[in-house]
Amino acid sequence: MSGSSCSRRWLVQAAAPFLAAFANLNAAAKAQPGSVPPAARQALAPTGRLRAALIVSNPVLVRRDVATGNLGGVSVELATALAEHLGMPLEPVPYANPARYAESLSREIAWDVGFAARDPARGEFVDFSPNFMEVDNVFLVPAGSRLTQLSEVDQPGVRVAVPQGSAPDLFLTRTLRNAEVVRVPGGADQAAEVLSSGRADAYGENAHLLHNVLGRIPAGARMLDGRFNVVQMAIAVPKGRDPTALEFLTQFVAQLKRDGTVARAIEAAGLRGVHVASD
């Protein structure tokens, strides 16, 4: 892949059902393909293309340009950097929401790397790189809610909505003892609908997405102070891959954090409640 332009961007074209084409995205200080151990390259991209799973309903990971449908954001930038590091073309594998991504884990996985949350339930099917990003998870409650603090959420009669199959769903399913978990498709529209309709008393999600939901529901809605969880984002690889894949990703993620690539991607996406993962 040519290195003639240091300011190029991969533009992932959204066409039926998701992507039709994609072009080059800004690549920072890419390594020469020869610097990657052959065993790692084969383990990470056995088809000769890096197939990267992307959850397109989560704006912390993927941003869709309203006018063009193009996809960008942190996971697209990091996937592009990884593909260039390996000296291979990138093949995005988009999933409409976390539930569709979770379904891909329970059968033969059709991707090589997945950019999503680390979670024990997913760990049955994949192995994880070190974390590249941390995301605050909070509760949003509608106007007039009797809930005023985190400690009041887990009680009988409280309905907590979550995106099905998401990190908040997996975490709250394990930890809530009294409240009812209401699972809905991911995305801001679904969050706004379930709160506006009264089908849920609170919505648990990342703080960035919920800031966007605030403008879609009646005035007076608010986010409860504090975080109920901090989600750790990592690069997943299907179990059974050669261990050199994870060894390489460990060094790769450390480099992206060290050289500021992750921080720049977070800033470019305008994310709130999102931080570069600590070492």
Side-chain angles (χ1 to χ4, degrees):
M1 183 173 294
S2 172
S4 60
S5 171
C6 63
S7 62
R8 298 172 302 168
R9 297 181 59 83
W10 276 99
L11 297 176
V12 184
Q13 302 294 336
F18 299 106
L19 306 173
F22 47 90
N24 215 357
L25 180 67
N26 180 41
K30 65 179 181 180
Q32 294 300 316
S35 69
V36 181
R41 185 181 293 107
Q42 175 62 26
L44 283 167
T47 66
R49 304 174 69 84
L50 183 69
R51 301 172 298 172
L54 308 171
I55 302 176
V56 299
S57 68
N58 186 348
V60 163
L61 291 169
V62 178
R63 300 183 69 197
R64 187 190 295 274
D65 185 280
V66 176
T68 66
N70 295 336
L71 299 184
V74 174
S75 62
V76 176
E77 294 216 23
L78 299 191
T80 300
L82 178 56
E84 291 205 346
H85 204 103
L86 294 172
M88 291 183 172
L90 174 67
E91 181 181 329
V93 181
Y95 291 94
N97 52 51
R100 301 289 82 79
Y101 173 77
E103 287 175 1
S104 79
L105 305 181
S106 60
R107 47 182 184 263
E108 186 175 356
I109 297 177
W111 45 262
D112 302 308
V113 290
F115 292 80
R118 175 192 297 273
D119 188 89
R122 293 173 177 171
E124 179 182 350
F125 307 99
V126 299
D127 294 316
F128 297 100
S129 76
N131 306 323
F132 62 83
M133 189 168 73
E134 296 177 340
V135 181
D136 294 343
N137 276 192
V138 301
F139 289 119
L140 175 64
V141 298
S145 174
R146 60 189 173 88
L147 302 175
T148 61
Q149 53 190 352
L150 289 178
S151 61
E152 297 173 345
V153 172
D154 191 14
Q155 57 182 313
V158 174
R159 298 159 300 168
V160 179
V162 293
Q164 184 177 4
S166 67
D169 178 6
L170 297 171
F171 177 79
L172 292 173
T173 296
R174 289 194 301 271
T175 58
L176 290 180
R177 295 292 178 264
N178 300 297
E180 175 189 357
V181 175
V182 178
R183 297 175 179 87
V184 300
D189 291 341
Q190 290 76 13
E193 189 281 327
V194 75
L195 288 174
S196 298
S197 66
R199 292 197 293 124
D201 303 297
Y203 196 94
E205 242 292 17
N206 66 71
H208 179 78
L209 184 143
L210 293 183
H211 272 99
N212 296 333
V213 175
L214 275 172
R216 306 183 185 207
I217 58 180
R222 66 191 188 282
M223 283 184 274
L224 300 182
D225 290 339
R227 306 170 297 189
F228 68 80
N229 190 29
V230 177
V231 173
Q232 299 170 326
M233 297 294 181
I235 304 176
V237 293
K239 280 192 177 297
R241 295 287 172 96
D242 190 291
T244 57
L246 276 180
E247 293 170 7
F248 173 79
L249 287 177
T250 296
Q251 299 174 16
F252 178 74
V253 169
Q255 176 64 29
L256 292 188
K257 293 193 293 184
R258 187 167 54 247
D259 69 16
T261 299
V262 178
R264 288 191 297 272
I266 292 171
E267 182 178 4
L271 301 181
R272 291 164 287 191
V274 179
H275 325 277
V276 177
S278 57
D279 292 330

